[in-house]
Amino acid sequence: MPANWPPPSGTYPPWPPIELGGVWASFYNLWALVHTLQKLEFTQEAPTPTENTLFFSSSVRCDENHQVIGRMLVSPDGLRRYPFAVCVNAQHRDGLVLWPPYYAGLQGGRDTL
Amino acid sequence: MPTPTDIFGFEYGNLLSVQGGGLYFALVGTSAIVTGTTVSGNYALRTAMGEFNNVQLKIQSSTTTFVGCVHFRFDTMPSGADLIFIEIDNETVLNCWFEVVLATGFIRASFAGNGPQTTDIQLQQNMWHTIEWKLVLSADPTTLDWSYDGVQQTQVTRAGTGTNVGGIKVGDMSAAGLGNIFWDDVIYSITAADFMNLGGIKVAGLVPNADGAHNNTTNVLEINDGSDINGTTVLAYPQIDDMPWSTTLGDRIQSNLAGSTNYVEMGIPNVSGTAIYAVKGYLEYSAATAAGNDGATVMILSGGIERSIWGTAAAPADMSETTAFFKSNMIAATGSAWTQEMANSMVMRIGYSADANPDPYWQAAMLEYAYASGASYSDNFTLPKSLGITETVVTTHNPSVSLAKSANIFTSVIGVYGDSILLNRSLAISVASELLLDVAISLSKINNILLLGGLDFQSALVLGKIDDIFISSILDAQNSLSLSKQNSIILSSVLEAQDIFALGKSINISLDVVSSILASIILGKSDGISLTGGLSLEDSITFIRSLTTTLFSDLTLSESFTLGKSLNISVSAIMVLSLAMTLAKTVDILVSGTGNFNLAISLARSLLISTLAEVQGVIEESLTLGKSLAITTVTILSAVESILFSKSNTIMLNSVATMNANIALNKLIALSLSAGLLISDAISFNQSKNITTSTTLTINEAFGLSKSVGISDSLLADLAAQLSLGKAINISTNVQMVLENDLNLGRILAIQISGGVVYDEAFVLAVYKAIALSSELVQFMGNIPAKLVLNDQIIWLIVTGDRLLQ
C-alpha cells in the first residue's frame, strides 16, 4: 500500500466528482482517468506550493517505496482540485489515486503527469 | 474468417476491479455480471439505467481501423431522455455514440451527436440486439459504418482524421431511464473485412480442470498452506479454478522460492463449436508484499509454442501487488488461424519466477474463446447469418431458435417448434407441409412466408413487416396474430382465428374457402379482402379502412361489424348480420342472396344497398341510413323495427314491403313499391315527391306526408287510420279509396278518384292558396258535412238531395 496516501479527508474534495453524478468511479491508470474526465472538461495543473506541501511531501511513497510527484485535476468550474501522484521510478510508474486501494499499480501513472 | 483482436465474454462471473487494467479501463457507477440472461457462455454484464453506470472495456490495440460488435438487451424501454448506451472513444475525432431515440425507439449513430443516422426499426424490449461497426480514422472524413441486427445502416461521417481508439464504453452515458441493459460477447477487430462478420461469434469460458505434467521442486511452487504441488496428492488446478472470480484473496498457487524453470501445468476443457476464432487468457494475481518480484502465466500450444497471459518463461513479469490485480492477453494461434484441435490441445503453465521474494500469488486463471456454433439442435442455438436452412424430413426444434439473418427457411415436411423462434430478418419462409408453432414466434421483417401445408399458431404470432403471406391450406391461429405491416395474405383454404387477429396495415387478404373467425379481427388498412368461401365472424370485426371486401359465399356476422371507411362490400350469397353493423362511409353494399339483419344497421353515408334476393323480414331492429341514395330489394323488405332514412333518394321494392314499426323518411324523392306496402305502424315522409304502389296500399296507422308531390295508388288505397298530408300536389287512386278515419289535407292542388270514395268520418280541407277539386269529389260528400276553409273563411259543405249547400 502507498505510504501517507491518500491525503487526510477534508483536505481535498470528496471522490468521485459531482460531475459524474455522484456514482462510483475508478480507472485502471491515470491516463484513463484524465482521458475520461477531460471529456467532462476537467483540466490538470501543477500543484501550488501550498498543495505540494499539503499533498505531495517527501513522506508520500508508492507501494514500492518510491517518491512521487503530484498533479492536480481541476473541475470544469475551477472550484475543486483533486490531488493525484505518480512515482518517480521509471520502471514502476505507480499512480496514486483517490479510490481504494489508492494505487493503480505497475505503470498506473503512465503518460499523464 | 474473422480475426477478433479482443473478446469480452464476462465469463469470469463477477464485476471485479480496474486494478491491473486487465479487465476494464474504467468503471463508473454500479454494474454487475449476472447469469441467466446471456447470448452465450454463463455470464453477461448488466448495467443499470438512470445513473452514469457504464463500463469502459480494455482496448489492447491502437488502431485507425476499429471494427466491432456488441450484443445488448434492454429489460425496460428507455425513458426520460435519449439514451447514449455505446460510446467508442477515439482521441482526435469526436466520440462515436449509439443511442436510443426516446421518441421513436430507433437506434441512432453519430459522432457525439453530429451527422446522425437512424434506424427505422424499433428497439425491442427483452430481446437481444446486435450493433456492429467499422470506424475508419485514417482518411478524412472519418467514417463510421454500422449495422443493427445484421442490417447495414447509413454511414456516419465526420470531418478530420484520428490515430487512436481509446476504448469501448457500454452502459448508461446519459443517466436516463429505469431498468437494466445487458451486454454480452463484445468483440472488436482491427481488420476492416471483419465488419458485419463478428455478430455471429460467441464467447465462452474455460477454467483449468486437470493437472498436467509439472516441473516442480521442493518449496518452489506450492499451494497456500506451503504444500508442494506434485500433481497427485497436491493439485494445482483447484487453487485457481475459482468461478465466479472475486477480488477477495483466497486459495492460490505461490512461488515460495524462485525457480525460473519450474512450473505447474494444467489442462483445459475442450472447446465447443466447430470454428474457433480467438482465445484470450485471464489472470488474477497478488503477492505477499509490495516489493518487486515476478512470475509468469503462459499457454503452451501444440509444438510447445508459448503464448503469454502475463510474463513469459524467459521474461517473467512483476506481480508485486498486495491486492487483487488482473491481467489479460489474447493468445495467438500457432498458424494463421485457430483450429478446434489446436484449442483442445493447449495447456496452461504457471511459475517461472526469477524473483520470489516476496512470494508471487496466482489467485485465478482462465480462458475465454470465440467460436461459431455448429448445426446441432440438441440445445439452444443461434444462427446470426444463415442463407439457407433446408429440412427434408421431420424436424423438431425443442429449444429456442434465433436467426438474426436468414434468407431462406425451407421445410419440405413438417417443422415443429416447441419453443420460441425469433427471426429478426428473414426474407422467405417456405413450409411445404405443416408448420406447427406451440409458442411465440416473432418475425420482425419478412418478405414472404409461403406455407403450402398449413400454419397452426397455438400461441402469439407477431409479424412486424411482411410483404406476403401465402397459405395454401389451413391457417389456424389459436392465439393472437398481429401483423403490423402486411401487403398480402392469401389463404386458399381455411382461416380460423380463435383469438385476436390484428392487421395493422394489410393490403390484401384473400380466402378461397370458408373462414371462421372466432375472435375479434381488426384490419387497420386493408385494400382488398376477398373471401371465396365464406366468412363467419363470431366476434367483432373492425375494418378501419377497407377499399374492397368481397365475399363469394356466406357472410355471417354473429358480433358487431364495423367499417370505418369502406367503398365496397359484396356478398354473392347470403349475408346475415346477427349484431350491429356500422358503416361510417360505404359506397356499395351488394348482397346477391338473402340479407338478414337481426340487429341494428347504421349507415352514416351509404350510396347504394342492393339485395338481389331479399332483405328478409328481418330487419328486427332499427335501420338507420344517414345519407342513402338508393336502396333496392328485388323481393321482400320487411322491417320489424323502425327504419329511419334521413336522406334517401330512392327506395324500390319489387315485392311486398311490410313495416311493422316506425318508418321515417325525411327526404325521399321516390318510394316505389311494385307489389304493395303494408304499414302496421306510423309512417312519416317529411319530404317526398312520389309514392307509388302498384297494388295495395294499406295503412293501419297514421300516415303523414308533410310535403308530397304525388301519391298514386293504381289499385286500392285503404286507409284505416288518419291520413295527414301537409302539402300534397296530387292524390290519385284509380280504383277505390277508403278512409275509415280522419283525412286532413293541409294544402291540396288536386284529388282525383276514378272509382268510389267512401268517408266514414269528417272530411276537412284547409286550402290557403288554390284548390282544384273535381266535381265528383265535391258532389260525393253525401251525408257527411265537409268543412272547407278558403283563406280565412270557413265554408261548410252539405249535400242535400242533388244540391250542394255552403
PDB file of all heavy atoms in Angstrom, chain B residues 458-472:
ATOM      1  N   GLN B 458     -50.513 -21.857 -31.958  1.00  0.00           N
ATOM      2  CA  GLN B 458     -51.145 -22.102 -30.677  1.00  0.00           C
ATOM      3  C   GLN B 458     -50.720 -21.063 -29.659  1.00  0.00           C
ATOM      4  O   GLN B 458     -51.053 -21.141 -28.498  1.00  0.00           O
ATOM      5  CB  GLN B 458     -50.812 -23.510 -30.189  1.00  0.00           C
ATOM      6  CG  GLN B 458     -51.378 -24.548 -31.151  1.00  0.00           C
ATOM      7  CD  GLN B 458     -51.151 -25.959 -30.690  1.00  0.00           C
ATOM      8  OE1 GLN B 458     -50.837 -26.189 -29.545  1.00  0.00           O
ATOM      9  NE2 GLN B 458     -51.328 -26.897 -31.585  1.00  0.00           N
ATOM     10  N   SER B 459     -49.974 -20.126 -30.151  1.00  0.00           N
ATOM     11  CA  SER B 459     -49.584 -19.027 -29.278  1.00  0.00           C
ATOM     12  C   SER B 459     -49.457 -17.792 -30.143  1.00  0.00           C
ATOM     13  O   SER B 459     -49.809 -17.786 -31.312  1.00  0.00           O
ATOM     14  CB  SER B 459     -48.282 -19.344 -28.557  1.00  0.00           C
ATOM     15  OG  SER B 459     -48.024 -18.384 -27.575  1.00  0.00           O
ATOM     16  N   ALA B 460     -48.954 -16.772 -29.565  1.00  0.00           N
ATOM     17  CA  ALA B 460     -48.921 -15.493 -30.265  1.00  0.00           C
ATOM     18  C   ALA B 460     -47.997 -15.546 -31.477  1.00  0.00           C
ATOM     19  O   ALA B 460     -46.957 -16.185 -31.457  1.00  0.00           O
ATOM     20  CB  ALA B 460     -48.444 -14.396 -29.325  1.00  0.00           C
ATOM     21  N   LEU B 461     -48.425 -14.891 -32.555  1.00  0.00           N
ATOM     22  CA  LEU B 461     -47.604 -14.708 -33.753  1.00  0.00           C
ATOM     23  C   LEU B 461     -47.535 -13.216 -34.022  1.00  0.00           C
ATOM     24  O   LEU B 461     -48.560 -12.554 -34.170  1.00  0.00           O
ATOM     25  CB  LEU B 461     -48.217 -15.435 -34.945  1.00  0.00           C
ATOM     26  CG  LEU B 461     -47.573 -15.151 -36.304  1.00  0.00           C
ATOM     27  CD1 LEU B 461     -46.172 -15.712 -36.348  1.00  0.00           C
ATOM     28  CD2 LEU B 461     -48.384 -15.732 -37.442  1.00  0.00           C
ATOM     29  N   VAL B 462     -46.357 -12.724 -34.068  1.00  0.00           N
ATOM     30  CA  VAL B 462     -46.175 -11.305 -34.327  1.00  0.00           C
ATOM     31  C   VAL B 462     -45.305 -11.153 -35.557  1.00  0.00           C
ATOM     32  O   VAL B 462     -44.192 -11.660 -35.596  1.00  0.00           O
ATOM     33  CB  VAL B 462     -45.509 -10.592 -33.126  1.00  0.00           C
ATOM     34  CG1 VAL B 462     -45.303  -9.124 -33.447  1.00  0.00           C
ATOM     35  CG2 VAL B 462     -46.378 -10.746 -31.898  1.00  0.00           C
ATOM     36  N   LEU B 463     -45.825 -10.504 -36.573  1.00  0.00           N
ATOM     37  CA  LEU B 463     -45.075 -10.285 -37.803  1.00  0.00           C
ATOM     38  C   LEU B 463     -44.924  -8.784 -37.971  1.00  0.00           C
ATOM     39  O   LEU B 463     -45.904  -8.080 -38.215  1.00  0.00           O
ATOM     40  CB  LEU B 463     -45.819 -10.874 -39.001  1.00  0.00           C
ATOM     41  CG  LEU B 463     -46.184 -12.355 -38.886  1.00  0.00           C
ATOM     42  CD1 LEU B 463     -46.976 -12.800 -40.092  1.00  0.00           C
ATOM     43  CD2 LEU B 463     -44.941 -13.199 -38.742  1.00  0.00           C
ATOM     44  N   GLY B 464     -43.726  -8.297 -37.791  1.00  0.00           N
ATOM     45  CA  GLY B 464     -43.530  -6.854 -37.819  1.00  0.00           C
ATOM     46  C   GLY B 464     -43.782  -6.255 -39.184  1.00  0.00           C
ATOM     47  O   GLY B 464     -44.647  -5.418 -39.364  1.00  0.00           O
ATOM     48  N   LYS B 465     -43.054  -6.695 -40.154  1.00  0.00           N
ATOM     49  CA  LYS B 465     -43.228  -6.199 -41.515  1.00  0.00           C
ATOM     50  C   LYS B 465     -43.158  -7.373 -42.462  1.00  0.00           C
ATOM     51  O   LYS B 465     -42.136  -8.046 -42.539  1.00  0.00           O
ATOM     52  CB  LYS B 465     -42.139  -5.199 -41.873  1.00  0.00           C
ATOM     53  CG  LYS B 465     -42.231  -3.897 -41.140  1.00  0.00           C
ATOM     54  CD  LYS B 465     -41.146  -2.957 -41.620  1.00  0.00           C
ATOM     55  CE  LYS B 465     -41.264  -1.611 -40.932  1.00  0.00           C
ATOM     56  NZ  LYS B 465     -40.227  -0.678 -41.410  1.00  0.00           N
ATOM     57  N   ILE B 466     -44.188  -7.572 -43.153  1.00  0.00           N
ATOM     58  CA  ILE B 466     -44.241  -8.721 -44.047  1.00  0.00           C
ATOM     59  C   ILE B 466     -44.874  -8.282 -45.351  1.00  0.00           C
ATOM     60  O   ILE B 466     -45.877  -7.564 -45.368  1.00  0.00           O
ATOM     61  CB  ILE B 466     -45.052  -9.854 -43.413  1.00  0.00           C
ATOM     62  CG1 ILE B 466     -44.322 -10.371 -42.180  1.00  0.00           C
ATOM     63  CG2 ILE B 466     -45.247 -10.967 -44.399  1.00  0.00           C
ATOM     64  CD1 ILE B 466     -44.978 -11.558 -41.576  1.00  0.00           C
ATOM     65  N   ASP B 467     -44.280  -8.671 -46.420  1.00  0.00           N
ATOM     66  CA  ASP B 467     -44.854  -8.328 -47.715  1.00  0.00           C
ATOM     67  C   ASP B 467     -45.960  -9.291 -48.112  1.00  0.00           C
ATOM     68  O   ASP B 467     -47.021  -8.886 -48.543  1.00  0.00           O
ATOM     69  CB  ASP B 467     -43.757  -8.331 -48.793  1.00  0.00           C
ATOM     70  CG  ASP B 467     -42.964  -7.040 -48.733  1.00  0.00           C
ATOM     71  OD1 ASP B 467     -43.451  -6.107 -48.087  1.00  0.00           O
ATOM     72  OD2 ASP B 467     -41.890  -6.996 -49.315  1.00  0.00           O
ATOM     73  N   ASP B 468     -45.715 -10.572 -47.989  1.00  0.00           N
ATOM     74  CA  ASP B 468     -46.705 -11.544 -48.431  1.00  0.00           C
ATOM     75  C   ASP B 468     -46.729 -12.735 -47.502  1.00  0.00           C
ATOM     76  O   ASP B 468     -45.692 -13.232 -47.083  1.00  0.00           O
ATOM     77  CB  ASP B 468     -46.378 -12.065 -49.849  1.00  0.00           C
ATOM     78  CG  ASP B 468     -46.517 -10.975 -50.882  1.00  0.00           C
ATOM     79  OD1 ASP B 468     -47.642 -10.543 -51.120  1.00  0.00           O
ATOM     80  OD2 ASP B 468     -45.489 -10.562 -51.418  1.00  0.00           O
ATOM     81  N   ILE B 469     -47.923 -13.177 -47.216  1.00  0.00           N
ATOM     82  CA  ILE B 469     -48.100 -14.462 -46.547  1.00  0.00           C
ATOM     83  C   ILE B 469     -49.023 -15.278 -47.424  1.00  0.00           C
ATOM     84  O   ILE B 469     -50.133 -14.841 -47.735  1.00  0.00           O
ATOM     85  CB  ILE B 469     -48.710 -14.307 -45.147  1.00  0.00           C
ATOM     86  CG1 ILE B 469     -47.761 -13.529 -44.240  1.00  0.00           C
ATOM     87  CG2 ILE B 469     -48.990 -15.657 -44.535  1.00  0.00           C
ATOM     88  CD1 ILE B 469     -48.312 -13.342 -42.854  1.00  0.00           C
ATOM     89  N   PHE B 470     -48.569 -16.412 -47.834  1.00  0.00           N
ATOM     90  CA  PHE B 470     -49.389 -17.267 -48.670  1.00  0.00           C
ATOM     91  C   PHE B 470     -49.542 -18.608 -47.979  1.00  0.00           C
ATOM     92  O   PHE B 470     -48.572 -19.273 -47.660  1.00  0.00           O
ATOM     93  CB  PHE B 470     -48.740 -17.468 -50.037  1.00  0.00           C
ATOM     94  CG  PHE B 470     -49.532 -18.390 -50.923  1.00  0.00           C
ATOM     95  CD1 PHE B 470     -50.672 -17.930 -51.565  1.00  0.00           C
ATOM     96  CD2 PHE B 470     -49.168 -19.707 -51.085  1.00  0.00           C
ATOM     97  CE1 PHE B 470     -51.414 -18.770 -52.356  1.00  0.00           C
ATOM     98  CE2 PHE B 470     -49.903 -20.559 -51.885  1.00  0.00           C
ATOM     99  CZ  PHE B 470     -51.031 -20.095 -52.527  1.00  0.00           C
ATOM    100  N   ILE B 471     -50.761 -18.979 -47.709  1.00  0.00           N
ATOM    101  CA  ILE B 471     -51.030 -20.230 -47.016  1.00  0.00           C
ATOM    102  C   ILE B 471     -52.029 -21.008 -47.847  1.00  0.00           C
ATOM    103  O   ILE B 471     -53.171 -20.569 -48.041  1.00  0.00           O
ATOM    104  CB  ILE B 471     -51.595 -19.960 -45.607  1.00  0.00           C
ATOM    105  CG1 ILE B 471     -50.579 -19.135 -44.801  1.00  0.00           C
ATOM    106  CG2 ILE B 471     -51.894 -21.252 -44.891  1.00  0.00           C
ATOM    107  CD1 ILE B 471     -51.101 -18.674 -43.478  1.00  0.00           C
ATOM    108  N   SER B 472     -51.586 -22.136 -48.397  1.00  0.00           N
ATOM    109  CA  SER B 472     -52.461 -22.872 -49.305  1.00  0.00           C
ATOM    110  C   SER B 472     -53.379 -23.811 -48.553  1.00  0.00           C
ATOM    111  O   SER B 472     -54.295 -24.366 -49.121  1.00  0.00           O
ATOM    112  CB  SER B 472     -51.627 -23.658 -50.318  1.00  0.00           C
ATOM    113  OG  SER B 472     -50.814 -24.574 -49.639  1.00  0.00           O
TER     114      SER B 472
END
